[in-house]
Amino acid sequence: MFKQLVPLNKARHATKKIKQIEGFGFASEFHIASLMVHEFSRAAAIYPVVFLEDKEKDRFRPVVLLGLEEGVNLFTDADGKWQSSYVPAIIRRYPFALASTGQEGQFTVCIDEGSDLVSDTEGVPLFGDNGEPAEAIENIKTYLGELQQMDAFTDEFCKFFAQHNLFTPLNMRVRQADQAKNISGCYVINEERLNNLSNELFLEIRAKNYLPAVYAHLISLSQIERLMTLGEERQSAKNS
């Protein structure tokens, strides 16, 4: 997603402006997007919500499937417009992100200097004439801070289910355009193991407020059929 991500500072970006997002062409090749637990309920009505394993960091993270083929986002059209009612937060925050400063719990706001949304002439100023952060930066800091808290909650959610061996590989064979396609490399919460948990552990999941996300995730898996349909429709449009 990011081309040239650097820390935001007034010396380097004093004259920069940020244009309003009017299209999502930058995400047209994203077939997955990271998601946070707080987004599961809204995302589940549109996308399959699954988990990926990051073996280097020994952790799992949730994502939405935006397409069944690498490099193909079925929810952006030729004009870069998003073709659904909910856009994942990680895409909406572009071209900004938080990066760790190296000190525990400390983060800095970064900006993608390679983004078309960053301009010297158009948009909302990032800094005022006095060199102080403008309202746009304050809003960005607030938004990114909220996302960081959600991300921490999501990380704890994934750690809990991994520790209790509740993730299982998703192996699904579907048919698309008269061809068989294997969906693999993803993980889902094992519903059978979930139903066989002890009462004590199940009550702990409820107390942690994880249950709504769990059920949203499981329900979302039926959206894989939606991706198949969208893929077939796009292929038909190309061939016509």
Side-chain angles (χ1 to χ4, degrees), residues 117-151:
L117 297 174
V118 180
S119 172
D120 289 315
T121 58
E122 300 177 61
V124 179
L126 294 175
F127 292 89
D129 294 335
N130 59 0
E132 293 303 310
E135 182 180 0
I137 288 186
E138 297 304 323
N139 292 338
I140 290 161
K141 285 182 178 179
T142 300
Y143 180 57
L144 292 178
E146 291 172 354
L147 294 186
Q148 182 59 36
Q149 292 179 7
M150 294 179 190
D151 189 59

Side-chain angles (χ1 to χ4, degrees), residues 26 35 51 59 96 101 110 150 158 198:
F26 63 86
L35 201 71
F51 298 84
R59 55 179 284 193
F96 298 98
T101 62
C110 295
M150 294 179 190
C158 291
S198 66

